[in-house]
């Protein structure tokens, strides 16, 4: 239903968003690796003044099994206020929830009862294939002209290319393929933009056959996974430039552009270098009339005393790779959070000067070798590691979950990845665990938690058109 006034959770500028009231609920996608029972959206109480703080207080099951929920997003956000494609009377009320394995897309309404999201629409894989030519929907972004859904695979038995499907803001019907001219782009993963400059950026992982059963050693060592960023004309929907990071830098995944719409830079995370198992973060930026990328953070692998204790996939290397699988940039563009899922470390960098990040805090939890416990349960070793990371609008609360992707979980944690979520308090003076917030184990009913979305918006789901 249209509103007479814009949704109060829409903010014209990042400055306005930073001063927004704190979230009270978090929505977490959780999946059943065995595909024996439905995946779900878990609703968590994140209000420190509540008696149920840190607990799962709501739940919504998917209508069927085998989805493997991964990344999901809001139907509308602050980009609805942008002047050239305004949609000021839509509401941030629906969660758009793709299944990475099933290729279904579910739409849940959170308005009437935020603790019990209601399923209002399901787009079947056949519709995504017919209308857009894609499969394996991965990431959802609310933006100008509709909902942008990146997809890893092609349709009708084709492994690729992956790309972007566009969904209608209100009906949630698949409008079609976003790309008019994709140029050389083939692999897909994330997509983000400099919305005020009509620039879209995409990154690369691999086609479904390359990722669905885990990391394929021959492909990795053969440098066959994605290693480039692509730049597009957002309005014309045409490919403009490819920036290759070098084929030793395998799997260029998460993209985080500056929130300030006057700035033309952003950060991209790279999972692993096949030369030394390090991970890295790259800065894309303008260099004259073209785009360029520079490695600004490098995180080395960590040697272990006894390689026999490592999972078979990395035993030959005798070290644990950081495996940077997510990054997130605070709304004020000051702090960059980097998830090192392999080593069990969440790093914080001051990126006030984006060309010269300065490490400004680190915590350990989980990890392939460390199994570091949460301070709230010091006798409980944890598997997994900081994986998906989400930051509150004011930048003081950071949420992490521990599961990456079912097949990867099983490769790197063959004895079980478990299920947990943690929250960090982030201030200029410190970066520490909130010991009151540690939902884990049976709290998630046997499912593995992956991505978090915060009620009212968060650092990775909004884009702004005014400085």
């Amino acid at each position: 239903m249209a509103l007479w006034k814009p949704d109060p959770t829409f903010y014209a500028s990042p400055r306005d968003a930073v001063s927004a009231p704190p979230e009270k609920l978090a929505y977490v996608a959780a999946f059943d690796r065995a595909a024996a029972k439905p995946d779900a959206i878990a609703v968590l109480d994140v209000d420190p003044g509540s008696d149920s703080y840190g607990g799962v207080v709501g739940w919504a099951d998917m209508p069927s099994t085998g989805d493997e929920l991964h990344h999901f997003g809001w139907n509308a956000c602050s980009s609805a206020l942008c002047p050239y494609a305004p949609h000021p009377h839509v509401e941030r009320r629906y969660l758009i929830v793709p299944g990475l394995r099933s290729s279904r897309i579910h739409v849940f309404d959170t308005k009437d009862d935020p603790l019990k999201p209601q399923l209002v629409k399901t787009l079947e894989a056949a519709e995504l294939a017919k209308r857009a030519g894609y499969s394996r929907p991965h990431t959802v972004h609310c933006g100008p002209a509709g909902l942008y859904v990146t997809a890893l695979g092609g349709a009708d038995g084709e492994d690729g290319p992956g790309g972007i499907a566009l969904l209608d803001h209100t009906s949630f019907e698949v409008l079609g393929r976003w790309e008019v001219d994709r140029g050389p782009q083939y692999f897909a993963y994330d997509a983000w933009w400099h919305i005020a400059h009509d620039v879209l950026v995409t990154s690369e992982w691999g086609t479904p056959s390359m990722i669905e059963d885990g990391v394929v050693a021959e492909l990795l060592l053969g440098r066959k996974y994605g290693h480039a960023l692509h730049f597009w004309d957002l309005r014309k929907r045409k490919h403009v430039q490819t920036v290759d990071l070098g084929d030793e830098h395998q799997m260029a995944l998460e993209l985080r552009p500056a929130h300030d719409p006057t700035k033309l830079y952003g950060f991209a995370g790279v999972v692993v270098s096949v030369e030394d198992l390090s991970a890295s973060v790259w800065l894309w930026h303008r260099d004259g009339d073209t785009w360029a990328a520079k490695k600004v953070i490098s995180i080395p692998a960590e040697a272990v005393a006894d390689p026999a204790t490592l999972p078979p996939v990395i035993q030959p290397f005798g070290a644990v790779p950081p495996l940077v699988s997510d990054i997130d940039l605070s709304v004020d563009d000051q702090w960059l959070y980097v998830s090192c899922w392999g080593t069990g470390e969440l790093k914080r960098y001051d990126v006030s000067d984006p060309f010269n990040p300065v490490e400004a805090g680190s915590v350990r939890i989980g990890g392939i070798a460390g199994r570091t416990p949460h301070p709230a349960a010091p006798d409980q070793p944890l598997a997994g590691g900081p994986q998906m990371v989400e930051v509150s609008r004011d930048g003081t609360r950071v949420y992490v979950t521990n599961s990456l992707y079912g097949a990867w979980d099983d490769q790197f944690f063959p004895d079980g990845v478990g299920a947990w979520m943690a929250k960090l308090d982030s201030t200029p003076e410190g970066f520490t665990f909130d010991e009151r917030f540690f939902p884990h184990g049976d709290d998630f009913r046997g499912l593995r938690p992956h991505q978090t979305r915060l009620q009212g918006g968060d650092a990775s789901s909004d884009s702004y058109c005014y400085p």
Side-chain angles (χ1 to χ4, degrees):
M1 178 182 293
L3 301 178
W4 287 109
K5 295 181 179 180
D7 188 311
T9 72
F10 295 169
Y11 301 95
S13 70
R15 179 183 61 254
D16 294 337
V18 166
S19 61
E23 66 282 354
K24 294 185 181 297
L25 296 175
Y27 296 92
V28 179
F31 68 95
D32 178 33
R33 171 64 172 142
K37 56 185 177 181
D39 297 350
I41 298 295
V43 187
L44 280 91
D45 185 339
V46 295
D47 179 2
S50 169
D51 291 339
S52 54
Y53 176 61
V56 176
V57 293
W59 195 266
D61 282 318
M62 297 300 111
S64 49
T65 60
D67 289 308
E68 185 142 349
L69 303 186
H70 203 63
H71 295 185
F72 66 115
W74 290 106
N75 68 301
C77 55
S78 298
S79 65
L81 302 180
C82 289
Y84 74 85
H87 300 274
H89 302 303
V90 295
E91 297 178 83
R92 189 199 305 263
R93 63 183 283 182
Y94 299 100
L95 290 171
I96 314 302
V97 187
L100 187 54
R101 287 187 181 271
S102 69
S103 295
R104 290 185 287 258
I105 300 175
H106 305 95
V107 180
F108 283 86
D109 189 351
T110 68
K111 185 174 182 179
D112 292 339
D113 187 348
L115 301 184
K116 296 179 180 179
Q118 297 298 308
L119 180 68
V120 296
K121 190 179 185 69
T122 299
L123 293 169
E124 296 293 342
E127 186 168 356
L128 180 63
K130 178 182 178 181
R131 299 285 298 171
Y134 291 131
S135 65
R136 309 303 181 92
H138 183 272
T139 296
V140 176
H141 284 309
C142 40
L147 287 162
Y148 295 65
V149 181
T150 68
L152 300 184
D156 303 319
E158 296 295 327
D159 207 28
I164 300 172
L166 198 64
L167 273 59
D168 184 83
H169 267 129
T170 53
S171 70
F172 309 115
E173 296 294 333
V174 181
L175 297 175
R177 188 181 84 186
W178 175 79
E179 301 87 355
V180 170
D181 178 0
R182 73 170 67 252
Q185 178 265 327
Y186 188 82
F187 292 145
Y189 183 80
D190 200 4
W192 252 118
W193 43 61
H194 295 291
I195 194 169
H197 300 269
D198 296 326
V199 174
L200 182 136
V201 189
T202 63
S203 59
E204 300 185 334
W205 187 8
T207 60
S209 68
M210 298 170 69
I211 63 102
E212 62 188 357
D213 295 322
V215 179
V216 181
E218 293 78 12
L219 294 177
L220 181 67
L221 297 177
R223 308 185 180 203
K224 300 299 185 182
Y225 287 99
H227 47 83
L229 304 179
H230 298 274
F231 295 85
W232 308 73
D233 185 309
L234 180 57
R235 287 214 215 184
K236 293 181 179 179
R237 298 154 54 195
K238 292 184 177 181
H239 189 278
V240 173
Q241 183 184 347
T242 299
V243 175
D244 196 330
L245 306 182
D247 63 9
E248 71 271 26
H249 299 294
Q250 290 283 283
M251 295 179 257
L253 299 187
E254 302 295 337
L255 302 174
R256 298 291 179 254
H259 294 90
D260 182 341
T262 69
K263 306 298 184 184
L264 283 172
Y265 70 83
F267 298 94
V270 172
V271 175
V272 66
S273 164
V274 295
E275 293 188 344
D276 58 9
L277 295 188
S278 66
S280 55
V281 177
W282 294 67
L283 178 79
W284 77 75
H285 62 95
R286 291 295 286 177
D287 183 12
D289 295 330
T290 61
W291 293 97
K294 174 188 177 185
K295 186 195 296 186
V296 292
I297 296 171
S298 184
I299 304 170
E302 298 181 355
V304 296
D306 183 4
T309 62
L310 298 176
V313 67
I314 56 173
Q315 270 187 12
F317 304 102
V320 177
L323 300 177
V324 165
S325 52
D326 194 20
I327 59 176
D328 207 0
L329 180 64
S330 62
V331 174
D332 63 4
D333 292 333
Q334 180 177 0
W335 306 106
L336 184 72
Y337 299 90
V338 180
S339 293
C340 302
W341 186 68
T343 51
E345 186 177 17
L346 180 66
K347 289 178 172 287
R348 182 179 75 165
Y349 293 88
D350 185 338
V351 290
S352 301
D353 176 358
F355 285 87
N356 297 286
V358 177
E359 187 168 346
S362 171
V363 296
R364 295 267 181 170
I365 185 169
I368 293 170
R371 305 297 172 107
T372 306
H374 191 281
D379 297 326
Q380 182 177 344
L382 294 177
Q387 207 286 295
M388 293 307 295
V389 52
E390 194 50 79
V391 183
S392 64
R393 288 165 294 184
D394 67 4
T396 65
R397 297 170 301 283
V398 181
Y399 302 89
V400 294
T401 51
N402 79 309
S403 170
L404 195 156
Y405 179 55
W408 284 45
D409 292 347
D410 298 346
Q411 273 188 309
F412 291 96
F413 296 91
D415 55 340
V417 76
W420 53 262
M421 182 175 177
K423 176 193 160 217
L424 289 300
D425 294 319
S426 182
T427 66
E429 294 75 33
F431 183 48
T432 58
F433 284 104
D434 177 350
E435 296 193 24
R436 295 177 56 206
F437 191 98
F438 181 48
H440 62 284
D442 293 340
D443 293 336
F444 291 104
R445 306 184 188 181
L447 305 185
R448 301 180 187 181
H450 185 65
Q451 195 193 26
T452 302
R453 284 283 171 230
L454 302 182
Q455 187 182 39
D458 44 61
S460 71
S461 63
D462 275 54
S463 45
Y464 310 93
C465 278
Y466 301 91

